[in-house]
Amino acid sequence: MARKIPVKLVMQYRDQGFSRNMIAKTQKVGRSSVSDVFQRADRFNLS
């Protein structure tokens, strides 16, 4: 079963200056998943 990515938390941690690796470890998701969230947020100018 696939695990949902906590997008809101990832974005909050990003705003606080956490690294992708730290966010991935904290939320127990893959680094590539965190990178995907970052890329999509950048594409749509979300913060």
Side-chain angles (χ1 to χ4, degrees):
M1 181 175 188
R3 186 180 163 131
K4 290 185 179 180
I5 301 169
V7 175
K8 287 183 181 181
L9 286 175
V10 169
M11 295 303 294
Q12 287 175 351
Y13 287 141
R14 181 186 189 190
D15 289 342
Q16 293 174 4
F18 282 67
S19 69
R20 293 172 195 216
N21 289 338
M22 185 59 72
I23 295 171
K25 285 182 184 179
T26 303
Q27 295 303 308
K28 297 181 180 155
V29 296
R31 288 176 295 169
S32 62
S33 298
V34 175
S35 292
D36 288 344
V37 171
F38 280 19
Q39 288 174 357
R40 289 175 190 224
D42 291 340
R43 186 179 320 144
F44 295 109
N45 296 323
L46 301 175
S47 60

